[in-house]
Amino acid sequence: MFGKISRALVSISLLAVAAGCNSSSEGGGLGLGQQASAEAQQPATPVVQAFCPPVVMREEAAFHRVYARGGQDDPEKLLYQASLADATRACTANETTLTINVVAQGRLVTGAAGASGPVSLPIRVEVIDGDNVLYSQVVNFRVDLPPGAPSTQFVFNKPDVSIPNGQGGASRFTRVRLGFETGPAKKARS
């Protein structure tokens, strides 16, 4: 038992010596007091915190159907149908701007009159605070429907949605609305 205790003491002593040799203090010791006082003198980096608004789907615009010319609402003339489902977001902030990265899952299905190839989906991203529109832009998002495939899934991503970040961050009433543009394309605003 005496041998086990003496080996443990020798091991601890070697660790203490090794720590002293690796110390960056000028005094040759562990220098913990000097290191702690140096850290206390450095100014702390301010942390900017902000509320990250949730994403909500515009129910009336979660589906998008395109028909062949003159075939509105005729299932035989449907070219394709697109839908948006689950969505999420991530936010970064500085003292003046809150930037939101919006991501949504979608699906594109070929209609009876449709064919494979590229499709441009008009997806509107809006940030609203109550009745105030803080950001609104239509993104013409390209999705390729592979040959022979009746449908495909896609991931929509808009990483640069920027709004003002006021004192205390965005309002708790702020929401990101996502959906297909239902009317004629409007000029993008930011």
Side-chain angles (χ1 to χ4, degrees), residues 116-135:
S116 62
V119 173
S120 182
L121 300 175
I123 300 174
R124 178 168 293 280
V125 180
E126 292 180 308
V127 181
I128 57 166
D129 183 10
D131 292 333
N132 298 325
V133 177
L134 305 176
Y135 177 96

Side-chain angles (χ1 to χ4, degrees), residues 82-106:
S83 61
L84 292 171
D86 296 328
T88 189
R89 82 284 187 229
C91 295
T92 56
N94 62 31
E95 283 128 9
T96 59
T97 306
L98 177 69
T99 303
I100 308 164
N101 181 3
V102 181
V103 180
Q105 175 185 350

Side-chain angles (χ1 to χ4, degrees), residues 6 29 32 34 36 38 51 57 75 83 103 106 109 138 142-145 147 150 156 159 161 165 169 176 185:
S6 63
L32 295 176
Q34 294 172 347
F51 171 70
M57 292 294 173
S83 61
V103 180
V109 179
V138 175
R142 181 185 164 133
V143 178
D144 289 313
L145 189 61
F156 170 77
V161 176
N165 187 26
V176 177

